[in-house]
């Protein structure tokens, strides 16, 4: 069995360890920790005041990160050395397989895993971006490499920490079996979203930075985590979507493959207007927007579609291609402004719905 002692024996053993603790020593250790935090607060206060100066403006976040790192791991290392001669630090708490787990081993595992996590974040934040820039990798591919690097480092750290404490990984087979049953019954949604997240990172039907449409909701993929994906809408709202949704439901990805997109601008003119004149003016609006340095493309060429004879207007559609799907709203607005100005210059009327009301004469009322 994975645990070789009963719960009653485990409780009694923890109580024995608790009795061996010298509380005077513990209080002195807490005093030293309080002094460390006091020094940290003083240094951060000085750095915050200096950050008002332009020269030291960028020093404060770096110093804050270094102090947090030094405080966390400094306290853990100080705890190991300070209580190195204490018996309770090395007394057996419980057993996994044939390995006796002590407080020292637990602290060592936490230290290894946390150091690996911090090292992974430092490498992905300060070192890997230079590599991505050198090889001209896009934002989505860079994010995929960052996630896979982080997962790999953490997996190695967990294996190293377990083997460091002398734990035979084969002793975890029972735990793995129990975990598999738990996934099959209660954790299947979490497992499904985790596997879907791995598929999204490798297959990349969507990637960080893509403009997507989900149930009429338009936004950019901001983050793909282990369980969910964060979509940042055009209104700066963040929507959390389970990863499995992108593999099971229909999702529109405007940035997938060819970044170009056709934009349709509908417009109506009054009956009796010269249709050829309308076509010429609409193409002029597209040409002006393209020459103004917008995202409108000249190839494929803009096209004017005579859509229908509406109830109150002749309905046209100006179809243009743009090279950035993120500029749909701004480009459509700019084209509408140009069309409205050009229609006014060429005296082309934009109608509004009209209704003719016919009133029949009422029969004479008999006078009472």
């Amino acid at each position: 069995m994975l645990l070789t002692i009963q719960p009653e024996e485990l409780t009694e053993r923890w109580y024995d360890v608790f009795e061996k603790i010298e509380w005077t020593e513990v209080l002195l250790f807490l005093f030293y920790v309080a002094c460390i935090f006091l020094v940290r607060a003083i240094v951060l206060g000085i750095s915050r005041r200096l950050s008002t100066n332009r020269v030291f403006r960028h020093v404060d976040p770096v110093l804050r990160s270094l102090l947090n790192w030094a405080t966390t791991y400094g306290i853990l290392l100080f705890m190991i050395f300070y209580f190195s001669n204490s018996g309770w630090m090395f007394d057996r708490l419980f057993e996994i397989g044939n390995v006796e787990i002590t407080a020292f081993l637990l602290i060592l595992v936490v230290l290894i895993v946390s150091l690996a996590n911090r090292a992974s974040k430092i490498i992905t934040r300060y070192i890997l971006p230079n590599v991505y820039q050198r090889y001209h990798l896009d934002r989505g591919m860079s994010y995929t490499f960052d996630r896979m690097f982080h997962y790999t480092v953490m997996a190695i750290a967990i294996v190293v920490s377990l083997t460091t404490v002398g734990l035979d990984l084969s002793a975890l087979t029972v735990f793995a079996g129990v975990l598999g049953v738990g996934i099959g019954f209660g954790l299947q949604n979490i497992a499904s979203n985790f596997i879907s997240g791995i598929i999204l990172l490798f297959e990349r039907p969507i990637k960080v930075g893509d403009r997507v449409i989900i149930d009429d909701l338009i936004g950019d993929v901001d983050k793909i985590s282990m369980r969910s994906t964060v979509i940042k809408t055009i209104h700066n709202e963040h929507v959390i979507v389970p990863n499995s949704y992108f593999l099971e439901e229909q999702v529109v990805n405007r940035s997938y493959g060819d970044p170009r997109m056709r934009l349709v601008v509908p417009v109506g003119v009054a009956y009796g207007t010269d249709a050829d004149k309308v076509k010429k003016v609409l193409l002029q609006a597209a040409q002006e927007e393209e020459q103004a340095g917008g995202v409108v493309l000249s190839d494929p060429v803009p096209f004017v579609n005579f859509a229908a004879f509406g109830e109150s207007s002749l309905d046209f559609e100006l179809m243009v291609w743009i090279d950035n799907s993120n500029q749909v709203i701004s480009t459509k607005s700019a084209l509408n402004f140009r069309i409205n100005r050009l229609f006014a210059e060429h005296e082309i009327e934009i109608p509004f719905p009209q209704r003719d009301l016919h009133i029949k004469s009422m029969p004479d009322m008999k006078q009472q």
Side-chain angles (χ1 to χ4, degrees):
M1 296 183 60
L2 192 61
L3 292 176
T4 59
I5 57 177
Q6 299 299 323
E8 296 80 5
E9 184 182 355
L10 181 63
T11 303
E12 183 178 355
R13 188 169 297 169
W14 278 68
Y15 182 75
D16 293 338
V17 173
F18 184 79
E19 284 187 332
K20 293 181 181 180
I21 297 177
E22 298 182 5
W23 292 105
T24 304
E25 192 178 39
V26 172
L27 291 175
L28 186 60
F29 170 76
L30 294 177
F31 173 75
Y32 290 148
V33 171
C35 292
I36 293 174
F37 277 104
L38 179 61
V39 173
R40 173 182 175 273
I42 294 174
V43 174
L44 287 179
I46 297 174
S47 175
R48 192 178 297 109
R49 290 188 177 183
L50 292 177
S51 63
T52 56
N53 192 327
R54 180 179 299 180
V55 178
F56 298 95
R57 181 173 301 174
H58 303 288
V59 176
D60 182 65
V62 176
L63 182 61
R64 185 180 299 274
S65 177
L66 290 176
L67 282 176
N68 291 336
W69 185 89
T71 301
T72 302
Y73 301 111
I75 290 176
L76 288 176
L77 291 174
F78 177 65
M79 183 176 182
I80 291 176
F81 288 108
Y82 185 82
F83 295 107
S84 60
N85 296 325
S86 301
W88 62 269
M89 177 70 79
F90 301 94
D91 282 347
R92 180 177 58 179
L93 299 177
F94 54 89
E95 295 178 356
I96 299 180
N98 296 323
V99 180
E100 297 181 356
I101 303 300
T102 64
F104 172 78
L105 294 181
L106 292 177
I107 296 174
L108 191 61
V109 169
V110 172
L111 185 62
I112 293 175
V113 175
S114 60
L115 275 173
N117 180 60
R118 184 58 61 92
S120 173
K121 290 183 177 180
I122 291 175
I123 293 175
T124 55
R125 179 176 297 180
Y126 299 106
I127 299 178
L128 290 183
N130 296 326
V131 178
Y132 301 149
Q133 186 177 4
R134 179 177 180 181
Y135 291 97
H136 307 288
L137 297 183
D138 58 33
R139 182 185 175 190
M141 182 65 73
S142 302
Y143 185 85
T144 300
F145 276 119
D146 284 345
R147 290 293 88 197
M148 298 315 302
F149 177 81
H150 178 72
Y151 294 156
T152 302
V153 170
M154 293 307 299
I156 294 175
I158 293 175
V159 173
V160 170
S161 63
L162 294 179
T163 55
T164 299
V165 301
L167 182 63
D168 186 4
L169 297 182
S170 61
L172 298 178
T173 54
V174 177
F175 175 75
V178 175
L179 182 62
V181 175
I183 291 175
F185 286 96
L187 304 178
Q188 55 183 346
N189 289 333
I190 297 177
S192 174
N193 288 321
F194 175 75
I195 296 174
S196 299
I198 299 297
I199 294 175
L200 291 178
L201 291 175
F202 276 103
E203 186 179 337
R204 303 179 73 213
I206 64 168
K207 58 184 183 295
V208 173
D210 282 357
R211 173 63 58 91
V212 297
I213 303 177
I214 303 176
D215 295 334
D216 298 328
L217 185 67
I218 304 176
D220 299 324
V221 179
D222 188 60
K223 179 182 179 181
I224 302 176
S225 60
M226 296 178 60
R227 188 191 65 84
S228 60
T229 298
V230 179
I231 306 296
K232 183 179 180 181
T233 69
I234 57 177
H235 303 295
N236 201 32
E237 298 173 338
H238 291 77
V239 181
I240 301 175
V241 183
N243 289 330
S244 58
Y245 180 91
F246 296 97
L247 302 181
E248 299 173 356
E249 304 293 336
Q250 180 176 341
V251 179
V252 178
N253 187 350
R254 287 181 171 178
S255 306
Y256 188 81
D258 191 349
R260 297 179 303 172
M261 177 183 173
R262 190 177 71 175
L263 176 63
V264 179
V265 181
V267 64
V269 300
Y271 273 95
T273 305
D274 187 354
D276 292 330
K277 183 179 180 181
V278 174
K279 177 181 178 181
K280 180 180 178 181
V281 171
L282 292 178
L283 292 177
Q284 180 182 349
Q287 183 180 11
E288 288 183 0
E289 182 63 22
E290 187 269 332
Q291 293 176 349
V295 296
V296 175
L297 301 175
S298 58
D299 184 23
V301 296
F303 173 73
V304 176
N305 178 37
F306 195 154
F309 295 92
E311 293 184 0
S312 305
S313 63
L314 301 176
D315 297 332
F316 292 85
E317 292 177 336
L318 173 60
M319 300 181 179
V320 298
W321 285 85
I322 60 177
D323 61 2
N324 188 351
S325 60
N326 295 342
Q327 302 295 327
V328 170
I329 296 178
S330 59
T331 304
K332 190 173 184 178
S333 175
L335 286 172
N336 282 331
F337 274 111
R338 294 186 184 277
I339 291 172
N340 183 68
R341 176 178 56 80
L342 291 174
F343 275 11
E345 291 178 359
H346 292 82
E347 297 181 350
I348 297 177
E349 180 184 357
I350 300 178
F352 53 87
Q354 299 181 8
R355 294 292 183 270
D356 294 333
L357 182 62
H358 300 276
I359 301 177
K360 294 183 178 180
S361 58
M362 300 296 292
D364 296 336
M365 299 293 293
K366 294 183 178 179
Q367 295 184 359
Q368 298 178 353

